[in-house]
């Protein structure tokens, strides 16, 4: 029933996840979609899916120079690094997690996904 209900609210559920985690995703689907495309929304979604703690580091910000025509500091393309701290990194399906990130982040933002234990 949870998989069927998850389909109705647009949440892809994995049968290998604990039932409580699948229920939490269905229960919080509207909340997650409300903040979709933001760092906070992505963090909440990944934490629910993995059961871990998520840290997102973005390249966003403003750059300026006191010299006309000078190269600006930093990198020109927007990017983010997503670190996921879990008890067992080997238990995480990194391909599925990468698909989730690609579907939830702004399309023009490059991302790197890092899994770590503890944290």
């Amino acid at each position: 029933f949870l998989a069927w209900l998850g389909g109705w609210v647009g949440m892809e559920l994995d049968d290998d996840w604990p039932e409580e985690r699948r229920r939490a995703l269905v229960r919080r689907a509207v909340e997650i979609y409300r903040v979709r495309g933001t760092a906070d929304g992505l963090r909440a979604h990944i934490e629910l899916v993995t059961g871990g703690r998520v840290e997102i580091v973005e390249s966003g910000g403003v750059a300026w120079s006191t010299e006309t025509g000078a190269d600006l500091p930093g990198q020109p393309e927007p990017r983010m690094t997503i670190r996921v701290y879990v008890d067992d990194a080997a238990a995480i399906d990194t391909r599925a997690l990468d698909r989730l990130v690609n579907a939830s982040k702004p399309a023009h933002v490059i991302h790197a996904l890092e899994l770590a234990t503890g944290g």
Side-chain angles (χ1 to χ4, degrees), residues 37-40 42-43 46 54-60 75 77-83 98 101-102 104-114:
T38 68
D40 287 340
L42 186 58
R43 183 180 301 106
I46 295 172
V54 177
E55 182 180 284
I56 298 177
V57 178
E58 299 179 90
S59 66
Q75 300 169 338
E77 38 316 287
R79 59 181 63 241
M80 72 171 89
T81 301
I82 303 160
R83 290 185 190 97
D98 196 57
V101 171
N102 272 317
S104 300
K105 70 175 178 67
H108 68 285
V109 177
I110 299 166
H111 77 274
L113 188 59
E114 299 175 0

Side-chain angles (χ1 to χ4, degrees), residues 11-23:
M11 285 291 161
E12 186 177 327
L13 306 176
D14 187 327
D15 289 335
D16 293 333
W17 296 340
E19 183 176 335
E20 188 52 43
R21 185 176 301 164
R22 290 180 282 151
R23 288 180 179 275

